[in-house]
Amino acid sequence: MSDIVRESVAGRVALLEMRRPPNNFFDEVLLTELADALLALDDEKDVTSVVLCAQGKHFCAGADLRGVGESGIRRIYRQAFRLFSGRKPVVAAVQGGAIGGGLGLAMSADFRIAAPGARLTANFARLGFHQGFALSVTLPRTVGPQRAQELLYTGRSVDGQEAVAMGLCDAVADDPREAAIEFATRIAAAAPLSVPSIRATLRRSLVSEVSAALDCEAAAQAALLETADFAEGIAASIEKRPPHFVGS
């Protein structure tokens, strides 16, 4: 069975739901299925906008990198890039955590609706790792370079309210899925030929920057995979304690 379920909702809106609850960790298989489903919507004339959501406690708690080296990371990011290349606007509904690569996945969407208690974090530095999923591009584009630096250097979390205040999310709602559907329905009420054309113009430079960023991020992440600090960061996260990094 696929981990991605596609449903139709009223008003030219398609819903893509990830189903790996409770955490919805992604790997190459999940991103491939998601990219396939998203790009298939480009050929559906009765779909103008898309809602990206997830089943379970968290929107996406990050990547499953067990046994993955540099070549595996690059394969994952080839699929991640495909998510930026679709033609239809995407609204992400974020409940629970959008953590690390999960935040990167949310940032591939045009808009994000978060629950008040959502937890959005680029926690890579707290794991002894380097950011990925094109956050090097999408985060500063969205919240500005200074705020992006702060979030990446500290790895701190922000909730739904703060995410809206800094521009990381577009709205906060107790039911982010329903709010995302309402948002996507407003987009879908516009001319179905105009919206993808406008989107392609607005995102033209983003797509090329994402491609270059994913290549650099994959190399930087691969260089840190075997370090003692990365092992300590993962162990500390699992054990729910502060990490003790040694710089090696």
Side-chain angles (χ1 to χ4, degrees), residues 122-211:
N123 65 334
F124 303 90
R126 298 290 296 173
L127 298 175
F129 209 35
H130 187 282
Q131 73 270 14
F133 217 117
L135 282 167
S136 304
V137 171
T138 58
L139 202 55
R141 267 177 168 258
T142 305
V143 302
Q146 283 299 111
R147 185 56 60 84
Q149 287 182 124
E150 185 245 331
L151 294 176
L152 289 169
Y153 292 169
T154 65
R156 75 176 181 89
S157 297
V158 299
D159 63 17
Q161 296 286 359
E162 185 178 4
V164 171
M166 69 170 61
L168 187 61
C169 290
D170 300 278
V172 63
D174 291 331
D175 188 337
R177 180 180 303 212
E178 286 303 314
I181 291 171
E182 292 176 7
F183 196 115
T185 301
R186 293 199 299 273
I187 296 171
L193 297 181
S194 296
V195 171
S197 178
I198 293 168
R199 185 178 191 262
T201 300
L202 292 176
R203 288 169 69 96
R204 186 182 305 276
S205 61
L206 171 65
V207 173
S208 62
E209 290 174 20
V210 163
S211 178

Side-chain angles (χ1 to χ4, degrees), residues 20 25-31 62-79 129 217-227 230 234:
R20 281 191 181 176
F25 291 113
F26 69 79
D27 55 14
E28 182 182 358
V29 172
L30 179 66
L31 288 190
D64 181 355
L65 295 180
R66 290 174 295 181
V68 175
E70 181 173 1
S71 62
I73 292 174
R74 291 188 181 280
R75 288 195 304 271
I76 289 172
Y77 285 168
R78 278 196 288 273
Q79 301 308 319
F129 209 35
E217 289 172 349
Q221 288 186 327
L224 295 174
L225 276 174
E226 303 302 324
T227 62
F230 181 57
I234 295 297

